[in-house]
Amino acid sequence: MIYKNYPMVSRVVFGRGSFNQLDEILALKRNGRNAPFIFYVDDVFKDKHWLISRITLSYKDKIIYIPTKEEPKTSQIDQLVEDIILKNSELPSGIIGIGGGIVMDVAKAVALMLTNKGESKDYQGWDLIKHAAIYHVGIPTISGTGAEVSRTTILTGPERKLGINSDYTPFDQVILDPELTKDVPKDQWFYTGMDCFVHCVESLNGTYLNAFSQSYGEKAFELCKEIFLGDTLSTEEAQDQLMMASWHGGMSIAYSQVGIAHAMSYGLGYLLGVKHGLGNCIVFDHLEDYYPDGVALFKQMKAKHNIKLPQGVCANLEDYQFNKMIDVAFSLEPLWENAIGKDWKSIMTREKLLELYKKM
Ligand code: NAD
Ligand code: ZN
């Protein structure tokens, strides 16, 4: 038996207002005047002075606003990398991603592709990256995905939606400042928060479960119940707790795997562009046969926060489209093996999956 030798985020700051320490942290990492820091910032913050004014730019440092209507594409990453190379004589001192899963994934992918030749689509998969990334920092502004701790950056390429999974992907530094999440819209708070909840359910009910994953998963699961079903937390406490839940949920799947909701959500994402958090919710709502307790809690959470999920997203699809979604979902073999076991292929047939998609 060979056990995974898992890389982790090297440094992390947690606390309200810790974002103010960014300058100090970066100062130690500057490689000179011609090696700028590039800040990718979710474009929702473009006019948010309270956040932007706290990013100090020196020399050739640059803020680049990233639109988040769509999830990151390999072509977008290649373009961002090319822009940096064309405009600078030296490699940047570091890449900083400030935003949700999208912007953090963009920061990770660009940091990797600055030191690895070719196109990012060629690195979608497991352990294809050959050289260490440049210094990269993740600063979440919404909690749930666990992208701040994971060893992947999820990209949609010409052929597949698949992460660049590597030991070089995790951030060198993370700043967890729950105050940054204060203006997240309610629906989005729920969808991204449920990503964390689903990580826990899929990890805790998977065949890959082990003591490491369980300890993180159980903690995050309890936090989610308190945040989404309890009545005792103040708004600020709930923000703090969700940031910790996201971290722990990410740690839990790091050493196990996600399951059916994620596999099917990738299918929806690839074909219809449904975003990760929302896609998980749409799918998970119909998985009571596979995760009965988790789905029952999910339905309570949905009701408590008065969340109305889109219905009939697959209503008008043609056969070839269902087939494509099924292909994408089934290509994520480790997720199915974790969810159902080694003989998953004999249990989850194309017909069953089709039936599930048709309900959504
Ligand atoms: P997101 O990045 O898609 O952002 C969702 C929305 O919230 C956006 O409109 C954004 O502008 C807004 N937003 C973010 N912070 C805000 C704030 N503080 N105030 C107001 N609005 C704010 O959301 P997400 O759910 O965090 O990320 C989803 C992405 O993460 C997907 O691309 C998915 O593939 C990826 N993901 C990655 C991993 C990983 O391990 N790398 C894990 C799960 C998901
Ligand atoms: Zn997820």
Side-chain angles (χ1 to χ4, degrees):
M1 176 78 183
I2 303 279
Y3 294 101
K4 271 192 276 185
N5 186 3
Y6 193 84
M8 295 215 270
V9 170
S10 326
R11 283 179 176 266
V12 56
V13 188
F14 171 77
R16 290 190 163 260
S18 61
F19 184 60
N20 290 335
Q21 288 167 232
L22 180 61
D23 282 355
E24 200 183 308
I25 290 168
L26 294 184
L28 301 169
K29 298 290 177 183
R30 190 180 288 280
N31 296 328
R33 292 164 176 259
N34 292 322
F37 285 108
I38 308 289
F39 298 86
Y40 292 124
V41 180
D42 189 316
D43 72 356
V44 78
F45 294 115
K46 219 172 196 161
D47 309 316
K48 299 284 190 311
H49 186 72
W50 65 268
L51 185 128
I52 300 303
S53 67
R54 288 151 77 190
I55 303 173
T56 315
L57 301 181
S58 311
Y59 309 114
K60 295 178 175 168
D61 295 352
K62 213 170 159 62
I63 294 180
I64 295 167
Y65 292 102
I66 302 291
T68 50
K69 282 211 171 60
E70 291 180 3
E71 298 189 346
K73 297 199 168 56
T74 52
S75 55
Q76 178 191 4
I77 300 302
D78 297 339
Q79 187 62 53
L80 289 168
V81 170
E82 195 179 317
D83 288 349
I84 291 178
I85 290 172
L86 290 177
K87 291 189 183 126
N88 294 281
S89 54
E90 291 177 20
L91 278 179
S93 294
I95 304 288
I96 297 97
I98 305 174
I102 290 184
V103 179
M104 287 192 282
D105 277 0
V106 165
K108 287 175 169 180
V110 169
L112 286 165
M113 291 311 300
L114 280 165
T115 53
N116 287 275
K117 285 205 175 70
E119 296 176 59
S120 49
K121 70 173 169 53
D122 300 333
Y123 294 95
Q124 287 179 282
W126 282 270
D127 303 305
L128 302 169
I129 290 281
K130 304 217 165 42
H131 305 287
I134 67 164
Y135 177 73
H136 51 304
V137 179
I139 308 180
T141 63
I142 179 169
S143 301
T145 63
E148 65 278 17
V149 286
S150 74
R151 88 190 265 287
T152 190
T153 157
I154 303 175
L155 302 177
T156 303
E159 274 142 47
R160 55 191 140 251
K161 183 173 177 192
L162 182 61
I164 301 182
N165 298 266
S166 86
D167 282 356
Y168 303 115
T169 308
F171 287 114
D172 299 296
Q173 170 82 56
V174 169
I175 297 181
L176 297 177
D177 182 347
E179 200 178 42
L180 304 185
T181 66
K182 66 185 170 65
D183 297 327
V184 170
K186 179 159 178 212
D187 282 7
Q188 191 63 54
W189 164 80
F190 187 83
Y191 303 149
T192 303
M194 284 303 109
D195 189 21
C196 173
F197 180 69
V198 173
H199 290 161
C200 299
V201 173
E202 294 188 323
S203 171
L204 291 171
N205 293 286
T207 60
Y208 290 4
L209 189 65
N210 54 68
F212 186 101
S213 292
Q214 189 172 359
S215 67
Y216 284 107
E218 283 175 351
K219 182 67 197 173
F221 186 80
E222 288 310 314
L223 288 170
C224 285
K225 279 206 294 195
E226 212 174 317
I227 296 159
F228 292 100
L229 289 175
D231 288 310
T232 54
L233 299 176
S234 68
T235 307
E236 292 197 348
E237 283 167 339
Q239 291 162 357
D240 293 7
Q241 307 276 34
L242 190 53
M243 201 160 254
M244 281 336 290
S246 174
W247 181 275
H248 282 71
M251 288 300 296
S252 181
I253 44 173
Y255 225 82
S256 62
Q257 190 43 280
V258 285
I260 302 177
H262 275 76
M264 293 187 68
S265 174
Y266 272 53
L268 287 180
Y270 184 88
L271 189 81
L272 305 172
V274 178
K275 291 175 80 184
H276 188 94
L278 176 59
N280 284 348
C281 288
I282 292 173
V283 175
F284 197 64
D285 210 22
H286 294 283
L287 294 185
E288 58 274 359
D289 289 349
Y290 301 91
Y291 304 109
D293 301 342
V295 173
L297 283 172
F298 172 79
K299 288 186 188 290
Q300 283 177 35
M301 293 172 179
K302 207 174 55 150
K304 179 169 167 113
H305 297 287
N306 203 14
I307 301 291
K308 303 265 176 289
L309 294 176
Q311 303 292 320
V313 288
C314 296
N316 300 314
L317 298 184
E318 312 265 350
D319 284 353
Y320 79 92
Q321 292 175 304
F322 280 115
N323 278 326
K324 184 71 210 172
M325 285 201 297
I326 293 170
D327 290 343
V328 171
F330 274 160
S331 73
L332 297 152
E333 300 205 357
L335 283 64
W336 293 99
E337 188 179 303
N338 176 47
I340 298 177
K342 284 213 183 308
D343 56 346
W344 64 269
K345 284 182 185 160
S346 62
I347 296 167
M348 182 51 88
T349 57
R350 288 187 81 88
E351 292 69 40
K352 264 197 198 155
L353 199 50
L354 177 65
E355 213 178 287
L356 275 171
Y357 271 129
K358 282 192 166 164
K359 288 188 192 167
M360 295 168 190

